[in-house]
Short mmCIF file of all heavy atoms in Angstrom, two decimals:
data_model
loop_
_atom_site.label_atom_id
_atom_site.label_comp_id
_atom_site.label_asym_id
_atom_site.label_seq_id
_atom_site.Cartn_x
_atom_site.Cartn_y
_atom_site.Cartn_z
N LEU A 22 0.93 -1.21 0.01
CA LEU A 22 0.01 -0.02 0.02
C LEU A 22 0.87 1.23 -0.05
O LEU A 22 1.89 1.36 0.79
CB LEU A 22 -0.85 0.07 1.21
CG LEU A 22 -1.94 -1.06 1.36
CD1 LEU A 22 -2.64 -1.04 2.67
CD2 LEU A 22 -2.89 -0.94 0.11
N LEU A 23 0.66 2.22 -0.89
CA LEU A 23 1.45 3.38 -1.00
C LEU A 23 0.50 4.54 -0.74
O LEU A 23 -0.68 4.59 -1.21
CB LEU A 23 2.02 3.62 -2.37
CG LEU A 23 2.96 2.57 -2.83
CD1 LEU A 23 3.38 2.71 -4.30
CD2 LEU A 23 4.20 2.54 -1.92
N PHE A 24 0.94 5.54 0.06
CA PHE A 24 0.11 6.69 0.53
C PHE A 24 0.88 7.92 -0.04
O PHE A 24 2.10 7.94 0.13
CB PHE A 24 -0.12 6.77 1.92
CG PHE A 24 -0.93 5.60 2.38
CD1 PHE A 24 -0.42 4.46 2.95
CD2 PHE A 24 -2.33 5.71 2.39
CE1 PHE A 24 -1.12 3.38 3.36
CE2 PHE A 24 -3.14 4.64 2.86
CZ PHE A 24 -2.42 3.54 3.40
N SER A 25 0.21 8.93 -0.51
CA SER A 25 0.87 10.16 -0.88
C SER A 25 0.56 11.18 0.19
O SER A 25 -0.58 11.16 0.68
CB SER A 25 0.22 10.64 -2.18
OG SER A 25 0.67 11.89 -2.52
N GLY A 26 1.58 11.94 0.42
CA GLY A 26 1.41 13.12 1.34
C GLY A 26 0.77 14.33 0.65
O GLY A 26 0.48 15.35 1.43
N ALA A 27 0.58 14.26 -0.65
CA ALA A 27 0.01 15.41 -1.30
C ALA A 27 -1.44 15.54 -1.05
O ALA A 27 -2.25 14.62 -0.93
CB ALA A 27 0.22 15.32 -2.85
N PRO A 28 -2.00 16.78 -0.92
CA PRO A 28 -3.35 16.93 -0.72
C PRO A 28 -4.22 16.54 -2.05
O PRO A 28 -3.67 16.40 -3.07
CB PRO A 28 -3.49 18.52 -0.64
CG PRO A 28 -2.17 19.10 -0.37
CD PRO A 28 -1.24 18.10 -0.90
N ILE A 29 -5.44 16.10 -1.82
CA ILE A 29 -6.28 15.64 -2.81
C ILE A 29 -6.39 16.66 -3.95
O ILE A 29 -6.71 17.86 -3.62
CB ILE A 29 -7.63 15.29 -2.37
CG1 ILE A 29 -7.49 14.07 -1.29
CG2 ILE A 29 -8.68 14.91 -3.47
CD1 ILE A 29 -8.89 13.78 -0.57
N GLY A 30 -6.19 16.31 -5.17
CA GLY A 30 -6.37 17.18 -6.35
C GLY A 30 -5.10 17.97 -6.55
O GLY A 30 -5.32 18.92 -7.50
N VAL A 31 -3.92 17.85 -5.91
CA VAL A 31 -2.86 18.63 -6.04
C VAL A 31 -1.60 17.80 -6.62
O VAL A 31 -1.34 16.73 -6.03
CB VAL A 31 -2.47 19.42 -4.73
CG1 VAL A 31 -1.16 20.13 -4.94
CG2 VAL A 31 -3.68 20.22 -4.26
N SER A 32 -0.94 18.20 -7.59
CA SER A 32 0.32 17.61 -8.09
C SER A 32 1.19 18.62 -8.69
O SER A 32 0.77 19.78 -9.00
CB SER A 32 -0.07 16.50 -9.09
OG SER A 32 -0.82 17.15 -10.19
N THR A 33 2.44 18.15 -8.86
CA THR A 33 3.40 19.05 -9.49
C THR A 33 3.80 18.48 -10.79
O THR A 33 3.65 17.25 -11.09
CB THR A 33 4.71 19.22 -8.63
OG1 THR A 33 5.26 17.93 -8.45
CG2 THR A 33 4.40 19.84 -7.25
N PHE A 34 4.49 19.40 -11.67
CA PHE A 34 4.85 19.01 -12.91
C PHE A 34 5.99 19.88 -13.52
O PHE A 34 6.25 20.94 -12.87
CB PHE A 34 3.71 19.05 -13.92
CG PHE A 34 3.21 20.41 -14.25
CD1 PHE A 34 3.62 21.20 -15.30
CD2 PHE A 34 2.26 20.96 -13.39
CE1 PHE A 34 3.13 22.48 -15.52
CE2 PHE A 34 1.81 22.16 -13.59
CZ PHE A 34 2.14 22.93 -14.57
N GLY A 35 6.80 19.48 -14.33
CA GLY A 35 7.89 20.20 -14.97
C GLY A 35 9.03 20.31 -14.07
O GLY A 35 9.14 19.54 -13.02
N ASN A 36 9.95 21.15 -14.24
CA ASN A 36 11.26 21.30 -13.52
C ASN A 36 11.43 22.75 -12.92
O ASN A 36 11.08 23.63 -13.68
CB ASN A 36 12.43 20.90 -14.33
CG ASN A 36 12.46 19.46 -14.80
OD1 ASN A 36 12.17 18.56 -14.08
ND2 ASN A 36 12.36 19.21 -16.16
N GLY A 37 11.90 22.77 -11.76
CA GLY A 37 12.41 24.01 -11.26
C GLY A 37 13.84 24.33 -11.60
O GLY A 37 14.57 23.37 -12.01
N VAL A 38 14.23 25.49 -11.60
CA VAL A 38 15.70 25.90 -11.87
C VAL A 38 16.15 26.86 -10.87
O VAL A 38 15.53 27.89 -10.41
CB VAL A 38 15.70 26.63 -13.31
CG1 VAL A 38 17.08 27.01 -13.65
CG2 VAL A 38 15.15 25.66 -14.36
N SER A 39 17.41 26.60 -10.37
CA SER A 39 18.10 27.50 -9.41
C SER A 39 18.72 28.73 -10.14
O SER A 39 18.87 28.62 -11.43
CB SER A 39 19.07 26.72 -8.60
OG SER A 39 20.05 26.37 -9.42
N SER A 40 19.03 29.68 -9.34
CA SER A 40 19.87 30.81 -9.88
C SER A 40 21.26 30.61 -9.15
O SER A 40 21.40 29.84 -8.25
CB SER A 40 19.33 32.18 -9.63
OG SER A 40 19.10 32.33 -8.25
N PRO A 41 22.33 31.44 -9.60
CA PRO A 41 23.64 31.31 -8.90
C PRO A 41 23.61 31.35 -7.37
O PRO A 41 22.96 32.23 -6.85
CB PRO A 41 24.45 32.41 -9.52
CG PRO A 41 23.86 32.70 -10.83
CD PRO A 41 22.30 32.45 -10.55
N ASN A 42 24.16 30.49 -6.69
CA ASN A 42 24.28 30.31 -5.23
C ASN A 42 22.91 30.14 -4.59
O ASN A 42 22.76 30.55 -3.35
CB ASN A 42 25.03 31.55 -4.73
CG ASN A 42 26.45 31.77 -5.21
OD1 ASN A 42 27.14 30.65 -5.37
ND2 ASN A 42 26.80 32.95 -5.66
N VAL A 43 21.89 29.77 -5.26
CA VAL A 43 20.59 29.51 -4.68
C VAL A 43 20.09 28.18 -5.22
O VAL A 43 20.24 27.83 -6.30
CB VAL A 43 19.67 30.64 -5.11
CG1 VAL A 43 18.24 30.43 -4.58
CG2 VAL A 43 20.08 32.10 -4.70
N GLN A 44 19.52 27.49 -4.22
CA GLN A 44 18.84 26.18 -4.64
C GLN A 44 17.60 26.34 -5.36
O GLN A 44 17.11 27.37 -5.56
CB GLN A 44 18.81 25.23 -3.31
CG GLN A 44 17.84 25.89 -2.34
CD GLN A 44 17.85 25.01 -1.06
OE1 GLN A 44 17.90 23.80 -1.16
NE2 GLN A 44 17.87 25.64 0.04
N ILE A 45 17.04 25.18 -5.88
CA ILE A 45 15.82 25.34 -6.68
C ILE A 45 14.69 25.58 -5.78
O ILE A 45 14.54 24.84 -4.76
CB ILE A 45 15.59 23.91 -7.36
CG1 ILE A 45 16.65 23.69 -8.46
CG2 ILE A 45 14.18 23.91 -7.95
CD1 ILE A 45 16.63 22.29 -8.99
N PRO A 46 14.00 26.67 -5.90
CA PRO A 46 12.80 26.97 -5.06
C PRO A 46 11.63 25.96 -5.09
O PRO A 46 11.58 25.33 -6.16
CB PRO A 46 12.36 28.32 -5.45
CG PRO A 46 12.87 28.55 -6.91
CD PRO A 46 14.01 27.64 -7.06
N ARG A 47 10.90 25.79 -4.06
CA ARG A 47 9.97 24.85 -4.05
C ARG A 47 8.50 25.40 -3.87
O ARG A 47 8.29 26.48 -3.15
CB ARG A 47 10.19 23.97 -2.72
CG ARG A 47 9.09 22.82 -2.69
CD ARG A 47 9.40 21.90 -1.52
NE ARG A 47 10.49 21.12 -1.91
CZ ARG A 47 11.14 20.28 -1.15
NH1 ARG A 47 10.78 20.26 0.09
NH2 ARG A 47 12.11 19.44 -1.59
N ILE A 48 7.60 24.80 -4.78
CA ILE A 48 6.21 25.35 -4.69
C ILE A 48 5.45 24.25 -3.94
O ILE A 48 5.73 23.08 -4.02
CB ILE A 48 5.57 25.51 -6.10
CG1 ILE A 48 4.13 26.07 -6.00
CG2 ILE A 48 5.55 24.17 -6.86
CD1 ILE A 48 3.63 26.58 -7.41
N GLY A 49 4.40 24.62 -3.23
CA GLY A 49 3.58 23.66 -2.49
C GLY A 49 2.17 24.23 -2.10
O GLY A 49 1.87 25.49 -2.35
N ALA A 50 1.34 23.41 -1.69
CA ALA A 50 0.03 23.88 -1.25
C ALA A 50 -0.35 23.31 0.16
O ALA A 50 0.04 22.33 0.52
CB ALA A 50 -1.01 23.41 -2.24
N THR A 51 -1.10 24.12 0.82
CA THR A 51 -1.60 23.72 2.12
C THR A 51 -2.99 23.24 1.93
O THR A 51 -3.94 24.00 1.69
CB THR A 51 -1.56 24.98 3.23
OG1 THR A 51 -0.29 25.43 3.21
CG2 THR A 51 -2.00 24.52 4.62
N GLY A 52 -3.25 21.98 2.01
CA GLY A 52 -4.59 21.37 1.80
C GLY A 52 -4.97 21.33 0.37
O GLY A 52 -4.13 21.59 -0.49
#
């Protein structure tokens, strides 16, 4: 059995990109 921690109806796609000396920023949703 696999469970996702993502809220119902929410998913991500594509790729993020960092800038110099900065990591890739993250998008997310609360609920």
Side-chain angles (χ1 to χ4, degrees):
L22 294 175
L23 298 174
F24 296 94
S25 170
I29 295 171
V31 177
S32 60
T33 57
F34 64 95
N36 296 308
V38 175
S39 65
S40 60
N42 302 317
V43 177
Q44 58 189 321
I45 296 173
R47 179 175 285 169
I48 190 170
T51 305

